[in-house]
């Protein structure tokens, strides 16, 4: 069964073995620059493919970077809340100690 490849599933991923790009019938003749060669088109197609394959990795890396910064901000906020809570507790203990000392001195 000999089925031609599609854009999503080409027969081969090697650009040298793929069919050369043909001019579109909907474009007017001569709209493309004349100095473009077939090897240039293959090279640019290969580079585009490589760049497109790396896009998900770049997106994942940026997403992880954002998540790490978000987690660090949350940890910092949690430490600040804990420190404030402990400071209030220490201030209450200090007030109780001062009151107890004042009561002891009064008697």
């Amino acid at each position: 069964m000999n089925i031609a490849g599609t854009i999503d599933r080409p027969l081969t991923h090697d650009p040298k073995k793929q069919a050369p790009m043909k001019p579109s019938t909907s474009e007017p003749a001569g709209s493309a620059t004349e100095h473009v060669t077939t090897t240039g088109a293959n090279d640019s197609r290969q580079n585009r493919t490589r760049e497109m394959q790396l896009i998900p990795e770049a997106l994942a890396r940026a997403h992880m970077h954002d998540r790490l910064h978000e987690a660090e901000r949350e940890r910092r906020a949690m430490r600040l809340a804990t420190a404030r809570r402990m400071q209030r507790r220490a201030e209450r203990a200090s007030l109780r100690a001062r009151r107890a000392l004042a009561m002891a001195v009064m008697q």
Side-chain angles (χ1 to χ4, degrees):
M1 189 162 151
N2 191 5
I3 299 174
T6 64
I7 291 175
D8 292 333
R9 295 181 181 275
L11 287 176
T12 176
H13 290 289
D14 185 9
K16 292 178 184 169
K17 293 180 181 174
Q18 291 177 358
M21 297 175 72
K22 296 183 176 125
S24 173
T25 55
S26 62
E27 282 187 19
S31 64
T33 57
E34 296 297 324
H35 66 278
V36 174
T37 62
T38 306
T39 57
N42 283 340
D43 289 344
S44 89
R45 182 172 22 179
Q46 182 65 26
N47 287 338
R48 232 184 359 257
T49 301
R50 188 175 300 121
E51 288 169 10
M52 289 177 75
Q53 286 174 346
L54 295 177
I55 286 173
E57 289 181 23
L59 286 172
R61 199 174 296 116
H63 183 67
M64 286 302 297
H65 184 263
D66 291 345
R67 295 288 303 267
L68 285 171
H69 278 279
E70 181 183 347
E72 183 59 35
R73 278 195 305 270
E74 286 180 11
R75 281 193 294 269
R76 220 177 294 138
M78 190 65 89
R79 282 195 300 262
L80 181 63
T82 304
R84 286 183 176 161
R85 191 167 47 245
M86 292 176 75
Q87 181 181 7
R88 286 193 301 267
R89 187 179 298 167
E91 287 171 356
R92 285 195 303 267
S94 173
L95 283 174
R96 280 196 304 271
R98 287 175 65 185
R99 278 194 214 111
L101 182 62
M103 293 296 282
V105 170
M106 289 291 211
Q107 289 180 358

